[in-house]
Amino acid sequence: MPEVLLIEPFYGGSHQQLMDTLEPIIKDSVKFTLPAKKWHWRARTAALYLSQVIPKNDTYRILFASSVLNLAELVALRPDLLNLKKILYFHENQLLYPVKKQQDRDFQYGYNQILSCLVADKIIFNSKFNQESFLSSIDTFLKLIPDHRPKNLAEEIRPKCCVIYFPIFMPEMCKYIEPDNKSRRLHVVWPHRWEHDKNPELFFNTLMKLHEEGYEFKLSVLGQSFKDVPAIFEEAKAKLDKFIVNWGYQSSKAEYFKCLQSADVVVSTANHEFFGVAMLEAVHCGCYPIAPNRLVYPEIFPS
């Protein structure tokens, strides 16, 4: 009978990767997920749906969920889950999610994460940067409430927190180098989600500037895309077409790693990064990392 509930309301990318890593090694576990579509709706409504589909069972001992789930709502709707050991895993935190204007920030997402922390028994962050940026931002975030603001929540939450770096299992591999080593062009890879928080404008505008100045290179743009793709991708594909080796999400991990092996340099221009799985995978495959000296990068690539 299952003893461990694994819950992921946004089953895609690194969220899926973590669940697929944990499920085989946690004995007597059962997994409940929702597809990685419409993230905002998953964060708003997944708890109600999951409260209806998770069967009642008196053998459950542990509940493990990502912070996309509103844990407070779930245990309120399902009081039978309240006494489980509740572990909350933070892939990212919504208190620091970049928005163009402060009035564009949806308060509810960050607020849900704070409530989930108050309900959880243990809170795991995938990096020190993620943990400290979340805890240190709580007081400032709550100032958005016009009056009667709660106090001392960071102090209440901190003792339950710890950092466990995201588990990455990489295959044994050798770096692939083209035979004409002296004449070959530098191969640049960008393996991130096709969304605005990864700042693709900076990356592509830099490459288009290099092209205008006469530099030659090869380009692979990997990563997952969703419904609303920033316009810069279409522009870059047209202007940099002669340099493109790979474009778009790879059909398998094997093909993805093959692309990384063939590249020389992996680049991040992100405004929002709490761990950087793709960067670490690329470095393992032999790429030299170029990343901002901020966010999580000084932690995973110390000088």
Side-chain angles (χ1 to χ4, degrees):
M1 297 295 287
E3 296 185 2
V4 180
L5 280 173
L6 300 174
I7 300 175
E8 179 50 69
F10 194 78
Y11 187 60
S14 61
H15 293 238
Q16 178 178 349
Q17 190 171 335
L18 179 61
M19 285 293 168
D20 290 350
T21 299
L22 293 177
E23 187 181 20
I25 62 177
I26 298 179
K27 190 178 179 181
D28 298 323
S29 65
V30 59
K31 182 174 67 179
F32 293 91
T33 66
L34 288 168
K37 297 179 180 179
K38 301 186 183 300
W39 178 91
H40 300 88
W41 283 106
R42 296 289 185 255
R44 286 188 177 106
T45 65
L48 178 56
Y49 175 80
L50 290 165
S51 74
Q52 295 181 327
V53 300
I54 296 173
K56 292 187 177 182
N57 194 322
D58 58 10
T59 64
Y60 298 147
R61 296 185 302 106
I62 297 171
L63 186 160
F64 181 97
S66 81
S67 61
V68 176
L69 176 71
N70 188 330
L71 186 58
E73 285 187 352
L74 180 62
V75 298
L77 292 163
R78 285 287 302 273
D80 58 303
L81 303 178
L82 181 59
N83 291 326
L84 304 188
K85 175 88 171 183
K86 296 174 291 299
I87 303 172
L88 192 67
Y89 189 88
F90 273 76
H91 292 268
E92 63 278 312
N93 78 71
Q94 291 301 310
L95 305 192
L96 283 189
Y97 190 84
V99 292
K100 293 180 180 179
K101 297 178 181 179
Q102 185 58 39
Q103 55 264 39
D104 293 337
R105 184 178 300 282
D106 191 320
F107 181 82
Q108 196 64 41
Y109 303 131
Y111 184 67
N112 287 354
Q113 289 189 328
I114 293 171
L115 291 180
S116 293
C117 286
L118 294 170
V119 171
D121 299 299
K122 195 69 179 178
I123 305 157
I124 302 174
F125 291 86
N126 60 359
S127 67
K128 294 176 183 175
F129 170 73
N130 195 2
Q131 175 181 286
E132 294 307 314
S133 64
F134 179 79
L135 294 172
S136 64
S137 298
I138 289 176
D139 287 347
T140 301
F141 180 79
L142 292 176
K143 287 180 181 178
L144 294 170
I145 301 174
D147 55 14
H148 301 290
R149 303 181 186 104
K151 297 178 181 179
N152 304 318
L153 296 188
E155 290 80 357
E156 182 177 347
I157 291 169
R158 181 177 286 277
K160 300 192 281 186
C161 297
C162 70
V163 173
I164 299 179
Y165 290 116
F166 188 92
I168 302 177
F169 296 96
M170 299 292 294
E172 293 286 337
M173 56 183 62
C174 297
K175 180 67 177 172
Y176 173 73
I177 302 293
E178 293 178 2
D180 56 334
N181 209 20
K182 291 184 180 179
S183 61
R184 72 188 188 91
R185 295 171 290 165
L186 189 74
H187 188 169
V188 180
V189 62
W190 195 86
H192 311 286
R193 279 186 291 104
W194 293 20
E195 293 187 300
H196 80 92
D197 61 298
K198 300 303 181 184
N199 198 5
E201 290 79 8
L202 176 59
F203 175 71
F204 287 123
N205 287 333
T206 300
L207 290 186
M208 287 188 280
K209 181 68 173 176
L210 291 173
H211 173 37
E212 290 171 5
E213 294 179 0
Y215 290 96
E216 297 282 316
F217 50 85
K218 293 193 292 185
L219 175 63
S220 288
V221 178
L222 312 178
Q224 194 170 6
S225 61
F226 298 93
K227 183 178 179 181
D228 298 319
V229 175
I232 189 66
F233 283 90
E234 185 176 351
E235 179 186 352
K237 187 177 182 182
K239 291 184 177 180
L240 299 173
D241 181 65
K242 72 173 186 175
F243 302 122
I244 295 172
V245 179
N246 301 287
W247 187 267
Y249 191 70
Q250 298 302 297
S251 58
S252 69
K253 268 289 187 181
E255 288 299 315
Y256 171 69
F257 286 135
K258 185 178 178 181
C259 293
L260 295 181
Q261 281 182 279
S262 68
D264 302 299
V265 174
V266 60
V267 178
S268 171
T269 46
N271 291 325
H272 179 248
E273 189 63 83
F274 293 105
F275 187 70
V277 173
M279 291 293 287
L280 289 168
E281 289 174 334
V283 169
H284 179 82
C285 292
C287 296
Y288 186 88
I290 298 177
N293 189 24
R294 52 185 172 78
L295 307 174
V296 75
Y297 294 118
E299 187 176 341
I300 62 173
F301 301 126
S303 57

